Amino acid sequence: MSARKYSEILTLGLVMVVVALLLTLFIGPQFLGVGNLQSMAFQLPELGILSLAMMITMLTGGINLSIIASANLTGIVTAMILIRYADPAGTGPGLWVIILLAMLAGLAISTAIGLLNGGLIAWAGVSPILATLGTMILLKGLAIVLTKGYVLSGLPAPVLFLGNGVIAGIPVPMILFALCALVMGVILNRTPMGVRIYMIGSNITACYFSGVNNAAVLLKTYLISGLYSGIAALIMIARFNSAKADYGESYLLLTVLASVLGGTSAAGGFGRVSGLVIALIILQLVASGLNLLRVSAFLTIAMWGAILILVMVANTLVTRYRERRALAY
């Protein structure tokens, strides 16, 4: 990792410590108490996995606006199968087979959505923002048609463990998030696929003339993004014990904010999983602190938008400063 990346990670780490200390000062020692930390550990994973799904597309210079709609449709399909065929109070291997098949069906849906996005962008040449915007609207419509706007609830107990269980004091969703972040880090930093993703984001034309199949890389990128949305959906329905067409709509802004705050360039080519994870912790600390301070949820969303604008302006100014400094030498 270059000195620049070390500097960015160190800066984010310092910001995280300062934010934690300031909020502890305002709220009191209970802010960093075991109960509140465990509560944050249950809330962060689904946003974290969705942010990983957003980040990998941003690294190619694209974006995936359909991650929330994809997650909701995945959750609805999974919940419909479980409610139809699984007895909430049932036990035995038959129940586990139904749960496994329902989850695989949900993940197949999210993967198919990722392939659709990738095909539109890589083969049809549609811009990522328009392709995923169209997919988002399509999926939201399908989700409402399937549910008629109602909440689907009453999932089997083993499914709920995925979103509310604890292993050795660590929430199960946090363990799943750590695994997802680890896999994403390996893909981006230890595989040829990761190198090609960064190359496409840095200069897609140069990447093409270096012999890379850009269409195949973009297709796989959006497939991974779709799969991660599906994993987040399984955690979401397990945590809420239900599925609905409009769950987590505020997450879309936060996934972009977490990616940009964590150092992912909106133009592509730069960004690390470690930076994203620290950014997610900062956002979770702020969200939890504002909640304890009883700040309006609507005002909080407005603040996220303001922070996103400030971070993007700051990144642009820093980039321009570095370019001018490089030219001066």
Side-chain angles (χ1 to χ4, degrees):
M1 190 184 290
S2 67
R4 176 184 163 184
K5 291 300 175 187
Y6 271 125
S7 171
E8 289 177 356
I9 297 298
L10 182 61
T11 303
L12 279 171
L14 288 173
V15 170
M16 180 179 70
V17 172
V18 170
V19 168
L21 290 175
L22 282 175
L23 288 170
T24 305
L25 188 66
F26 280 108
I27 297 169
Q30 71 271 24
F31 178 69
L32 292 179
V34 175
N36 195 43
L37 288 178
Q38 195 167 56
S39 173
M40 286 191 275
F42 275 108
Q43 295 169 17
L44 184 144
E46 59 202 41
L47 173 62
I49 297 173
L50 288 168
S51 298
L52 290 168
M54 178 63 79
M55 174 193 178
I56 192 171
T57 60
M58 290 180 69
L59 287 175
T60 64
I63 194 166
N64 188 354
L65 297 179
S66 68
I67 53 173
I68 308 301
S70 174
N72 280 328
L73 187 63
T74 299
I76 286 167
V77 170
T78 306
M80 289 177 78
I81 295 172
L82 290 171
I83 292 169
R84 176 70 177 81
Y85 296 104
D87 180 2
T91 57
L95 177 65
W96 287 99
V97 170
I98 294 171
I99 291 173
L100 180 63
L101 291 176
M103 289 184 173
L104 288 176
L107 292 177
I109 293 287
S110 63
T111 305
I113 294 167
L115 281 173
L116 173 63
N117 282 327
L120 288 171
I121 294 162
W123 291 332
V126 182
S127 74
I129 192 168
L130 293 178
T132 56
L133 178 65
T135 309
M136 178 184 77
I137 295 169
L138 169 67
L139 299 178
K140 284 179 75 172
L142 287 175
I144 292 172
V145 168
L146 286 173
T147 62
K148 296 182 174 59
Y150 293 112
V151 176
L152 304 177
S153 59
L155 305 181
V159 175
L160 305 186
F161 181 77
L162 203 64
N164 302 285
V166 175
I167 296 176
I170 304 172
V172 173
M174 182 55 75
I175 295 172
L176 295 173
F177 168 61
L179 289 173
C180 287
L182 181 65
V183 170
M184 183 66 81
V186 170
I187 291 172
L188 293 177
N189 301 316
R190 295 283 185 267
T191 67
M193 168 78 180
V195 174
R196 290 163 186 158
I197 287 173
Y198 282 110
M199 286 174 66
I200 285 180
S202 298
N203 190 325
I204 192 168
T205 306
C207 186
Y208 173 76
F209 283 109
S210 67
V212 173
N213 185 340
N214 289 349
V217 176
L218 286 172
L219 194 69
K220 291 175 187 173
T221 300
Y222 282 86
L223 185 151
I224 294 171
S225 179
L227 181 60
Y228 268 59
S229 299
I231 296 171
L234 298 182
I235 295 176
M236 201 183 303
I237 64 170
R239 200 161 74 84
F240 297 153
N241 189 18
S242 61
K244 194 168 183 274
D246 60 355
Y247 275 164
E249 289 197 330
S250 62
Y251 283 167
L252 187 58
L253 169 66
L254 288 174
T255 57
V256 178
L257 176 57
S259 300
V260 174
L261 185 61
T264 303
S265 170
F270 298 97
R272 297 279 174 182
V273 172
S274 53
L276 176 73
V277 171
I278 298 175
L280 283 166
I281 295 172
I282 293 172
L283 292 176
Q284 185 59 57
L285 287 171
V286 174
S288 180
L290 292 176
N291 185 44
L292 290 172
L293 290 169
R294 300 184 185 282
V295 175
S296 163
F298 300 109
L299 180 60
T300 302
I301 293 173
M303 286 176 61
W304 295 142
I307 292 172
L308 177 61
I309 293 169
L310 287 173
V311 171
M312 294 188 73
V313 169
N315 284 344
T316 303
L317 293 176
V318 169
T319 302
R320 286 180 182 172
Y321 171 75
R322 284 174 175 156
E323 288 174 352
R324 287 175 184 168
R325 194 176 174 186
L327 288 173
Y329 287 101

